[in-house]
Amino acid sequence: MAARVDTEEQVIVFRTLKRRSANVFRAVPMPPDLANELEQHMHFVALSPEARLWAWSRGKAWLIVKRVMKNASIEGRHASPKGLRHAFGITAVTEGIPLNLVQRWLGHSRIESTAVYTNAIGREERAIAARM
């Protein structure tokens, strides 16, 4: 929904899926370049606040994401929505984002759920150690 994209504050507001009935929302920051692109798109197609950002379905969006992942050589269990979400969490922790912010962005109600992303190994563990 266009109303959930705040290009001025550079956030996208998501409804937390696991707590749908409670209507819990979270604002996730976006890079300035993405905010600019979305603002231009919404202006170009003259979207009302209630309108969807794109006319295509969730299934079509998933096909697009799968094609992008294939082009980026992301395969196996990582080539899934859960894999993308996990990569986001690991990257945020690796880049030094405070755990409470990662918790909010991922929509976790408990910090213990977010702490899983601190159990990095391999390349992620080395990147975290390098920050020391």
Side-chain angles (χ1 to χ4, degrees):
M1 201 192 312
R4 292 193 186 160
V5 176
D6 187 340
T7 56
E8 188 175 311
E9 292 295 321
Q10 298 178 348
V11 297
I12 300 175
V13 178
F14 293 95
R15 187 172 76 189
T16 301
L17 295 178
K18 289 186 178 179
R19 294 179 279 159
R20 253 187 285 237
S21 61
N23 277 332
V24 176
F25 294 87
R26 65 184 189 277
V28 178
M30 63 177 145
D33 291 347
L34 177 58
N36 290 334
E37 291 279 336
L38 288 174
E39 185 171 36
Q40 288 176 11
H41 170 72
M42 291 187 302
H43 180 72
F44 179 73
V45 295
L47 292 177
S48 70
E50 298 80 31
R52 294 170 65 170
L53 291 174
W54 291 274
W56 20 274
S57 68
R58 185 176 176 195
K60 173 69 174 176
W62 175 232
L63 289 175
I64 292 168
V65 169
K66 280 176 61 172
R67 185 175 59 231
V68 169
M69 286 190 291
K70 183 177 180 181
N71 291 342
S73 299
I74 300 170
E75 21 187 62
R77 66 183 186 154
H78 302 294
S80 68
K82 188 172 184 175
L84 291 174
R85 181 179 167 84
H86 185 74
F88 175 85
I90 288 289
T91 302
V93 169
T94 303
E95 291 298 318
I97 305 299
L99 208 54
N100 65 317
L101 288 179
V102 179
Q103 175 188 14
R104 184 179 342 144
W105 296 345
L106 291 174
H108 292 153
S109 58
R110 298 174 359 162
I111 196 73
E112 292 84 6
S113 299
T114 313
V116 167
Y117 298 103
T118 64
N119 295 328
I121 58 171
R123 182 173 47 103
E124 291 88 9
E125 183 178 17
R126 288 189 299 276
I128 292 169
R131 288 198 336 257
M132 303 262 316

